[in-house]
Amino acid sequence: MNKALYLCVALVVLSAWSYQDGHKKSFVDVAGIDSLTKPGNNFFRFVNGRWYDTAKIASDQAGVGSYSFMNIPQKKLLQNILDSVSKTKNNMGSVEQKVGDFYASGMDMTTINQRGYQPIKPILERIDAIKDVPSLIKFVAAELKTGNSSVISFGIYPDNKNSSINIAHVSQTGIGLPERDYYFKTDSSTLQIQQAYKKYISTLFQLTGSDVAIATKDADITYSIEKQNAASHKTNIELRDVNANYHKIAVASINKTQANISWGTLLADLGATTDSIDMAQPAYYDKLNEQLKSISINDWKIYLKASSLQNYAETLSKPFVDASFDFNKVLSGQATQKSRRQIMTENVDHYLGQALGQLYVKRYFNEDAKKRVLVLVNNLQKSFENRINHLDWMSDSTKQKAKEKLYAITKKIGYPDKWRNYDKVQINRTKYFENILSLNQNNYNFELAKLNKPVDKTEWGTTPSTVTAYYNPSFNEVVFPAGILQFPYFDFSADDAINYGGIGMVIGHEMTHAFDDQGAQFDKDGNVKNWWTKEDYQKFREKTKQLVDLYSSFTILDTVHIKGGLTLGENTADNGGIAIAYDAFKMTQQGKDSVKIDGYTPDQRFFLSIARIWRVKTRDAFLRTYVNTNPHSPAMWRVNGPLMNFAPFYKAFNVQPGDKNYKPENQRVKIW
């Protein structure tokens, strides 16, 4: 690609045109390109460099740009709704009343501050009343039902090996830092986080009346118990092994082997009638069973107080909110707190998401978008089938099973066909803390009612307004909420190059999750069941190992590398998603021709759109935590990683040997 074209692109970046009333309409014009960067050296930087260098991260945010950070402006739309319904007299029990009054209760900081930590005192008093292990477990069970989890993580969702039925699951928990390794690493940034965390716990104790010396001692006791818990945890990479994290066990059996936990009594207190559970990480519960006797009841009470205070800190008065922020800003680098409106908008979306979602869809969602995106989904399905047919490493018998799974995928677009109701929730406009407990209790009962019942595959796992998309292997479904069906991912008036490079890539990404290192272990009905020949699966594993090695070589900060094992599923989906979306685009009329718009070929604009959807800039502290805990690669490598493996990109931008991201054809990783 010549320098003149670099300069041209610098002046007019992503442009796409539609014709309305006979007139040409430009709907995107973002001057974000770095014309001094060759596409083959760093395509993310080429498309986004000038934007990246000038973009300002708000002091109350950890980043700016697309994807999850699009939820920042998205929340402003929700704030408009909440400001309106919270100031209107609504019919008691209506969606508007529940949403509006809950929002208002959390906005009333005068009352919240006046109450101080009074709302949590009954919980602390119940902890003080614990006398022995049985009463400790009874407390843990009672609190679980109102959202105050500590040493037991309990949930109801499909059985991995019989996805038509919901069963009880328990998994490792009991720590306050992001994941186990934060308790054991000794680099300077991790040590800083450890100290900030201990200070946070100490501050919470001081806010409830302890003097500094006792609070510091109690924080050390809490941290010590958490570190023991963490030692029994699997790493985030180990958690990706589906079969190794499934252990369906008879309750009668663990009643004997983990007698101190007393599972029969615990489950009865939880209201969960079942003779078996899936214990995802038994080592954690074996360790907990030992700790219940080896750690004194007094120390356990200190731990439970610290855990409860952390769980509720952000729902209490300002000093508690400030303490929580002071710790979390060490993880995120965020300089100042979000406004109360922002915080409460997020909370309403979290606790009453489908109620708020109904109001969002009515006000902001274009129904025609749903039909247009369904066309794209169907086209990508055909594209994926064609790619499966032409795989040179997979046998015909496995190809047939893969295509059966592909066409069994359920497609959910925009919002649910049936909305969840919150009829049993009582919202009091003046009692924010009690509203939180009520909503948690309602959600617990909602989930508990599913135990040992058939799975309702019409349910959604996200709110309609959220800028996200996902694949659920147990449901074998792809979900694209209304929130993501907007620019830069989708614009109804955009041409195919823009939309296939945007939402098309996201669709392809989610479809590929059905065939990543985890999804490939589920069959078309959502069960963990082998559908591969032994030889094909071995070849698949060898190819995924190539992706692990490639992404592990990418440096992010200083000497910090992407964790190729942790990000394998998302990297597989990114690489497959681009290829599938491109092939689907080439099926369209525009994809078949070479007509330029603003000097760009259709293929060039397809790739420009891909780089645009991952336009993100974050704080270094946030990025460091992200790399340690998030299964997605950082934005730059969601662009550069897949494109260095994709031949049509090389052709579109004349990538040549000597370019930094050039890879010889025999070194390019191709799975799907």
Side-chain angles (χ1 to χ4, degrees), residues 564-579:
L566 175 61
T567 57
L568 174 57
E570 298 299 335
N571 297 335
T572 302
D574 283 343
N575 280 263
I578 286 175

Side-chain angles (χ1 to χ4, degrees), residues 117-165:
Y117 78 98
Q118 291 295 325
I120 203 174
K121 272 190 174 180
I123 296 173
L124 301 179
E125 289 168 357
R126 288 197 292 274
I127 294 173
D128 283 331
I130 293 172
K131 302 298 183 186
D132 49 26
V133 171
S135 60
L136 184 156
I137 293 297
K138 185 169 285 293
F139 169 84
V140 168
E143 291 299 304
L144 263 173
K145 294 190 284 189
T146 54
N148 184 21
S149 61
S150 53
V151 292
I152 304 288
S153 177
F154 176 79
I156 309 294
Y157 43 93
D159 185 338
N160 272 358
K161 298 196 174 181
N162 181 10
S163 63
S164 63
I165 295 294

Side-chain angles (χ1 to χ4, degrees), residues 38-49:
K38 290 182 66 177
N41 284 344
N42 186 334
F43 194 65
F44 174 89
R45 175 82 196 175
F46 171 69
V47 176
N48 300 313

Side-chain angles (χ1 to χ4, degrees), residues 157 160 167-170 245-249 276-280:
Y157 43 93
N160 272 358
I167 65 169
H169 301 259
V170 294
N245 289 279
Y246 176 88
H247 304 89
K248 195 170 181 180
I249 305 173
S276 63
I277 60 174
D278 169 28
M279 184 174 287

